[in-house]
Amino acid sequence: MVKLYDVMIVGGGVIGCSIAYQLSKRGKKVLLIERNQLAGKASKAAAGMLGVQTELHGGSPLYHLAMASRNMYSTLAEELKEISGMAIEYVENGMIKLAKTEEEAKDLLEVASIAAKEEQVEWLSPGSLSIYEPHLSKVVAGGLYIPKDGNVSALKLTQALGLAASRLGAEIKEFTDVYDFIIEGSRITGIQTTIGPFYADETIVAGGAWSQSLLKQLNMTFDTYPVKGECFSVKVSRKVVERTIFTDDCYIVPKIGGRLLIGATEKPHTFDETISVDGLLNLMQLATSILPDLAYAEWEKAWAGIRPQTYQGFPFMGRSEEWDGLSIATGHYRNGILLAPITGVMMADVIEGKDTHSINEYERS
Ligand code: FAD
Ligand code: GLY
């Protein structure tokens, strides 16, 4: 057995690449293996929103972790630019979560009062909303404005993390499938791949929605399921929206270069990445009811991706209880881009034997 690596990572999405980057920064010899290309799956499909208040609320176990992760972005963007030369298109453009009815407004005001204890938030009445975003439809009952929520290019972020990791010494093998583990007693000592076996002290499975099918080789039942999301993008010649506009069934994200990204459908229990007319039609109706000018925008493209969800509703990040030398980082569902920086740090801590069971440690950072 020839051991060349300290840590092997299965999966070159944003989670695997973030872990590879953090471990490489700490001087670990890392091998990352990806079946397709880096960022070929969910991490390419993502809208790149960094929304702490929009999908997670004060009561969510992920809330503080997400806030810490979002707050890492401005430094990470600079670091990645310096090491990889790539810009991840990070912008702190703010997010407005809309209430379409008085009832939704009441719920959002509650979210606002909890959020206000820890961050800058502002409740916008329909009148103030039309000053902030004059092109929004008048049929909204108000909105919660979170100035610090921003967005990135999820594709460029993932690629930059991968590139930065490799500049720091990580080896990355694309178009290589990991199909089994090499076991000695109760320890995982290696992986079997389509280009041969590799050995390391530690193996981390970060295979997104496909993690479970690999972990089955170890007779591990892992409670995850895929959730397909479809999106489309358009181009506008003049700015029709400044901030990200979010509702529970649709969002509009302004991107660099006059692009608007509109997402996303939710179709659980399928790995089918085709784009359906019904999904797009529904999204278009929802989006134009919020921002009527979208109807006149130039069509760009549509795509779909598969989110990794867990039945418990939050990601698994840590060591396997059954196998020594094995860790798992998946199940980030709708927030993998937001949570990628902190996941990289947490998993590097796990590998270095630091106690990370308490999320609180990160809440304070
Ligand atoms: P993936 O990106 O799917 O990567 C897993 C990788 O592992 C894949 O490339 C796969 O090929 C590889 N792999 C799996 N098994 C093997 C194997 N056996 N051998 C080799 N390679 C393997 N999150 C946000 O925070 N903000 C957003 O705005 C946002 N928008 C989204 C919009 C859509 C439409 C979708 C679908 C998701 C969105 N998300 C968003 C969620 C986010 O994209 C995911 O949580 C995140 O990308 C998951 O990253 P991952 O690395 O776990 O998975
Ligand atoms: N977080 C947005 C999405 O998953 O669609």
Side-chain angles (χ1 to χ4, degrees):
M1 172 182 112
V2 188
K3 190 217 96 165
L4 288 174
Y5 308 99
D6 298 318
V7 188
M8 292 184 298
I9 299 165
V10 183
V14 73
I15 299 302
C17 288
S18 182
I19 300 168
Y21 172 63
Q22 291 296 340
L23 283 168
S24 303
K25 257 175 82 174
R26 296 183 193 194
K28 299 283 182 220
K29 185 78 190 126
V30 173
L31 171 66
L32 183 146
I33 300 202
E34 166 56 46
R35 175 185 283 158
N36 307 112
Q37 269 180 299
L38 292 192
K41 293 294 183 180
S43 304
K44 179 168 81 177
M49 291 178 292
L50 308 174
V52 178
Q53 314 291 341
T54 42
E55 296 188 12
L56 309 163
H57 299 297
S60 161
L62 288 178
Y63 180 73
H64 287 103
L65 205 59
M67 199 179 290
S69 199
R70 182 201 62 191
N71 294 345
M72 289 165 77
Y73 261 97
S74 62
T75 309
L76 182 66
E78 279 170 30
E79 250 177 53
L80 291 177
K81 180 87 183 101
E82 200 176 307
I83 302 172
S84 72
M86 280 186 74
I88 61 171
E89 298 179 4
Y90 167 67
V91 285
E92 208 177 280
N93 64 321
M95 183 127 29
I96 298 177
K97 184 164 186 182
L98 294 182
K100 290 202 223 159
T101 60
E102 290 303 328
E103 210 180 329
E104 278 181 21
K106 218 174 109 215
D107 291 348
L108 257 188
L109 271 163
E110 249 171 68
V111 173
S113 70
I114 299 169
K117 292 181 190 137
E118 300 181 74
E119 87 162 321
Q120 194 191 338
V121 291
E122 196 180 329
W123 176 254
L124 303 179
S125 65
S128 328
L129 250 180
S130 65
I131 296 168
Y132 276 71
E133 295 292 353
H135 297 278
L136 284 185
S137 139
K138 303 289 175 262
V139 295
V140 287
L144 177 63
Y145 174 39
I146 311 109
K148 279 188 83 67
D149 280 352
N151 80 82
V152 288
S153 158
L155 172 68
K156 289 189 179 159
L157 166 70
T158 309
Q159 290 172 334
L161 285 165
L163 189 54
S166 74
R167 296 245 160 103
L168 295 172
E171 235 178 273
I172 296 182
K173 295 188 191 296
E174 294 177 295
F175 304 105
T176 304
D177 195 12
V178 179
Y179 61 85
D180 208 347
F181 296 91
I182 300 165
I183 300 169
E184 278 178 34
S186 62
R187 187 163 198 94
I188 304 299
T189 55
I191 49 176
Q192 295 287 4
T193 81
T194 40
I195 54 167
F198 293 97
Y199 299 88
D201 292 334
E202 302 278 355
T203 300
I204 302 175
V205 175
W210 297 268
S211 301
Q212 183 165 17
S213 62
L214 179 61
L215 291 166
K216 266 195 201 141
Q217 299 299 325
L218 297 170
N219 294 322
M220 287 172 76
T221 34
F222 199 61
D223 273 346
T224 63
Y225 62 95
V227 183
K228 170 173 162 175
E230 294 151 308
C231 291
F232 70 92
S233 60
V234 296
K235 282 186 188 166
V236 281
S237 49
R238 66 186 170 94
K239 223 172 214 171
V240 289
V241 74
E242 191 86 37
R243 298 156 191 88
T244 296
I245 306 299
F246 192 97
T247 69
D248 283 338
D249 40 26
C250 149
Y251 49 77
I252 302 165
V253 191
K255 294 283 182 185
I256 282 171
R259 293 177 69 229
L260 293 175
L261 192 160
I262 295 99
T265 59
E266 279 269 316
K267 297 183 175 169
H269 306 292
T270 178
F271 283 97
D272 170 13
E273 290 171 278
T274 54
I275 304 147
S276 68
V277 171
D278 111 274
L280 286 191
L281 204 56
N282 191 33
L283 270 184
M284 284 177 188
Q285 275 160 355
L286 289 165
T288 49
S289 74
I290 301 167
L291 189 64
D293 284 6
L294 264 185
Y296 309 104
E298 182 190 337
W299 174 259
E300 193 185 53
K301 58 183 174 174
W303 64 93
I306 308 295
R307 308 175 182 96
Q309 172 63 312
T310 64
Y311 283 100
Q312 60 186 5
F314 43 90
F316 188 91
M317 299 187 268
R319 282 193 178 280
S320 151
E321 284 171 10
E322 289 100 325
W323 297 94
D324 297 329
L326 179 70
S327 299
I328 298 156
T330 192
H332 294 71
Y333 184 41
R334 293 180 63 107
N335 290 292
I337 307 303
L338 171 63
L339 292 166
I342 200 87
T343 301
V345 171
M346 280 182 80
M347 291 308 295
D349 283 355
V350 164
I351 295 302
E352 289 191 329
K354 294 185 187 158
D355 177 19
T356 60
H357 282 115
S358 157
I359 291 176
N360 299 331
E361 204 180 304
Y362 297 94
E363 287 175 10
R364 288 191 294 271
S365 62

